[in-house]
Amino acid sequence: MAVTSMIYDDNNIFAKILRGEIPCRKVYEDDHTLAFEDIHPQAPVHTLVIPKGKYVTMADFTAKASDAEIAALMRAVTKVAELKGVVTTGFRILANSLGDSMQEVPHLHIHVFGGKPLGAMLSVPRP
Ligand code: 5GP
């Protein structure tokens, strides 16, 4: 079911990963961010980059996070692209936010896709 609320749920799956309660395949970590492999990859490279703070969406994050947290998340995305070897071949980032985007996990995450031609930007028909 898609996420509809900006109220942070401490029991969401990424909160559990951050607390070390469930494992992940870590790609990168710093003081403010964690990046790990998506459990159901949709491309040869499919890594998730998340802030360690409790933010539901990008709007929530940019409203409440410190400049240091925001800079760290953006830099972590590039770091992941470098680590996964897709900076020169090309990659796509995506962050779903609430219902229309079909966001499933209510902790802000940036998908990093790459490793093959990724096709059209959206797979659904235009309205
Ligand atoms: P969303 O639809 O919210 O933008 O994307 C959520 C992503 O989280 C999906 O791509 C899904 O495969 C991934 N995911 C869901 N549960 C887990 C999990 O337990 N571990 C990892 N590594 N990824 C997960």
Side-chain angles (χ1 to χ4, degrees):
M1 190 192 302
V3 179
T4 56
S5 167
M6 295 285 263
I7 297 168
Y8 190 80
D9 172 9
D10 276 308
N11 286 319
N12 79 76
I13 202 81
F14 294 168
K16 291 179 180 178
I17 287 175
L18 283 166
R19 291 195 295 266
E21 293 169 7
I22 63 168
C24 70
R25 289 174 51 212
K26 185 164 75 176
V27 172
Y28 173 78
E29 182 173 15
D30 62 30
D31 288 349
H32 297 299
T33 64
L34 176 68
F36 52 92
E37 305 294 14
D38 196 289
I39 203 166
H40 296 304
Q42 296 185 43
V45 172
H46 187 175
T47 305
L48 302 171
V49 187
I50 70 171
K52 289 184 174 177
K54 299 179 179 182
Y55 307 107
V56 179
T57 65
M58 187 64 80
D60 193 24
F61 181 63
T62 52
K64 298 176 189 166
S66 68
D67 289 354
E69 289 173 286
I70 293 170
L73 189 73
M74 294 298 102
R75 291 201 168 102
V77 167
T78 301
K79 187 71 187 170
V80 164
E82 289 169 357
L83 290 168
K84 300 301 293 185
V86 294
V87 168
T88 55
T89 51
F91 63 96
R92 177 175 296 155
I93 62 174
L94 180 149
N96 289 317
S97 286
L98 302 182
D100 281 355
S101 75
M102 301 178 71
Q103 180 183 6
E104 287 178 20
V105 179
H107 182 115
L108 173 63
H109 46 286
I110 299 179
H111 299 255
V112 179
F113 299 105
K116 71 170 187 179
L118 295 169
M121 192 157 59
L122 294 177
S123 61
V124 293
R126 291 173 189 233

